[in-house]
Amino acid sequence: MKKRVFSGIQPTGEIHIGRYLGAIRHWVAMQDNYDNIICVVDLHAITVPQDPRLLKHRIKEFAGLLLAVGIDPARTILFVQSHVHEHSELAWILNCFIPMGWMSRMTQYKEKAAKQKEQVSVGLFDYPSLMAADILLYDTDVVPVGDDQKQHVELARDAAQRFNNIYGEIFTLPEPMIADVGARIMGLDDPTRKMSGSEEGPNHAIALLDGPDVIRAKIMRATTDSLKEIRFDESRPGIYNLLTIYHAITGEKKQAIEAKFEGKGYSDFKKALAEAVVEGLRLIQERYKQITSEKGYLDKVLAEGAAKATPIAQKTLARVRKAVGLG
Ligand code: AQP
């Protein structure tokens, strides 16, 4: 029996290279050795205000990009979260078991709530409970995520354990899996902040669909420091982040990269990085065009995905409902 992997992506902002290098490319690589489920988590997206038309567009765009990077519907169940109603029902049940104190400690909530002040929704606070439901519905063993989502996966595990302690072995306990390289890609304009889909700055992130000239311009403008040496030195976040992107996208070893750019300036390095990113994204962009030009293909893949996900989710939810004494 292969281990089950579940992961999700929120269809907000663009799919940037942080999401790609930190998480998505690992989902592609894991398809051979794991039983994979990937979800476009649209219910998570509405925890902050969304333009309905843009959200609808993004859901399709994200699904198309996941296929373009190499998610294979023959080996991975790919679906949209709101197409499988069991996610919301289990999230509600978990709400009744997860202590407020656990949720209040979530750093992502604190950061996002600080930006929104009184406008912050109950849904944003509850985001980790819905994420726990996503994971636990599928008897997930492993959740490959970027560094920023580790705390949420740990909460899902704690919630499962608490529930199991009361009702017996209902849930499989999931483990987060964090990549060695690219687990936290930082913003190009501010390398002390995580590259994020909801940041607005024009030079903050590189989107998977950015054209070559846009990529070159963003990288050439990326914040560095006034030093010269091109080394993996964490105390210099700007150049460290750019080197990490180079390392992740080319697969070259750190030492080899440092040797290659010894004696060269930041401008030479940035030009080489820009070309590596342009080349790394070229195929993805070509495939994306192909996938979206095939009328009805994406809808078909997502409908088949939901049809495969639903019975798995129903089985778990039935177990939970019975344990709790519902209905
Ligand atoms: N900067 C990043 N570096 C490495 N990994 C990252 N991930 C996101 N940003 C980075 C990982 O990508 C997966 C999908 O992310 P998500 O869509 O679920 O949401 P997120 O983590 O909230 O991403 P954003 O870009 O920060 O979106 P906003 O700002 O809109 O919430 C996850 O595994 C994530 O860890």
Side-chain angles (χ1 to χ4, degrees):
M1 278 274 281
K2 285 181 181 171
K3 285 197 170 177
R4 162 90 32 94
V5 165
F6 178 94
S7 220
I9 184 157
Q10 187 176 293
T12 49
E14 323 236 35
I15 298 196
H16 51 72
I17 55 168
R19 283 162 159 174
Y20 174 58
L21 297 174
I24 299 170
R25 70 191 177 118
H26 303 293
W27 306 346
V28 176
M30 291 172 93
Q31 289 181 117
D32 290 332
N33 303 320
Y34 292 86
D35 179 10
N36 284 269
I37 302 183
I38 307 285
C39 184
V40 179
V41 292
D42 55 347
L43 293 171
H44 277 99
I46 61 165
T47 55
V48 293
Q50 298 295 337
D51 169 347
R53 281 189 23 214
L54 184 59
L55 176 61
K56 216 169 171 54
H57 166 77
R58 290 278 191 228
I59 293 167
K60 286 280 196 63
E61 182 190 73
F62 274 43
L65 273 167
L66 289 171
L67 296 177
V69 299
I71 295 297
D72 172 7
R75 289 182 293 159
T76 292
I77 299 178
L78 174 66
F79 71 103
V80 177
Q81 185 185 33
S82 67
H83 293 180
V84 179
H85 300 282
E86 284 72 14
H87 290 247
S88 312
E89 188 172 343
L90 182 58
W92 176 256
I93 296 173
L94 291 175
N95 275 339
C96 303
F97 290 84
I98 298 175
M100 289 283 284
W102 292 7
M103 299 285 249
S104 318
R105 283 196 286 275
M106 296 294 111
T107 48
Q108 193 176 78
Y109 170 73
K110 286 192 230 169
E111 283 166 15
K112 289 193 175 179
K115 282 190 204 154
Q116 292 191 46
K117 309 218 165 70
E118 318 76 86
Q119 293 306 314
V120 64
S121 70
V122 176
L124 187 68
F125 182 71
D126 202 30
Y127 179 113
S129 172
L130 180 58
M131 182 161 159
D134 299 339
I135 295 168
L136 301 180
L137 271 178
Y138 298 98
D139 293 325
T140 303
D141 298 295
V142 183
V143 189
V145 282
D147 196 32
D148 61 319
Q149 292 289 345
K150 183 166 178 256
Q151 198 185 26
H152 291 160
V153 180
E154 285 166 352
L155 184 134
R157 186 184 169 87
D158 290 345
Q161 200 135 36
R162 186 181 172 94
F163 200 89
N164 286 356
N165 284 344
I166 305 171
Y167 297 109
E169 294 303 302
I170 304 291
F171 292 126
T172 301
L173 301 186
E175 290 279 2
M177 183 188 273
I178 314 289
D180 296 336
V181 180
R184 185 169 280 254
I185 300 294
M186 312 305 276
L188 296 184
D189 54 349
D190 178 356
T192 61
R193 290 200 343 264
K194 186 193 79 150
M195 187 177 283
S196 153
S198 49
E199 290 290 332
E200 298 282 316
N203 295 316
H204 174 73
I206 294 173
L208 293 195
L209 291 176
D210 278 348
D213 291 339
V214 174
I215 295 172
R216 289 185 188 112
K218 285 182 180 174
I219 291 179
M220 294 315 285
R221 281 189 212 119
T223 303
T224 44
D225 50 43
S226 55
L227 300 171
K228 285 204 172 75
E229 246 186 318
I230 298 174
R231 270 198 305 112
F232 282 88
D233 175 356
E234 287 190 55
S235 68
R236 292 159 56 201
I239 192 69
Y240 182 80
N241 187 41
L242 296 183
L243 280 164
T244 303
I245 295 171
Y246 190 90
H247 178 38
I249 208 137
T250 62
E252 289 173 29
K253 297 222 160 62
K254 287 185 176 180
Q255 267 184 337
I257 298 169
E258 288 179 342
K260 191 174 187 171
F261 292 103
E262 201 177 335
K264 301 222 165 106
Y266 282 176
S267 165
D268 289 331
F269 168 65
K270 282 179 166 179
K271 279 184 196 149
L273 172 63
E275 292 321 308
V277 174
V278 167
E279 189 48 34
L281 300 189
R282 195 175 53 80
L283 257 186
I284 296 175
Q285 297 179 353
E286 278 172 20
R287 276 200 228 111
Y288 180 75
K289 261 197 210 145
Q290 217 180 344
I291 287 162
T292 47
S293 67
E294 217 177 305
K295 214 168 167 264
Y297 175 68
L298 261 178
D299 287 329
K300 184 170 156 277
V301 168
L302 293 174
E304 284 172 2
K308 287 184 202 158
T310 300
I312 309 172
Q314 281 174 340
K315 208 167 146 201
T316 310
L317 188 63
R319 224 162 49 223
V320 172
R321 289 176 58 98
K322 187 166 174 231
V324 175
L326 292 175

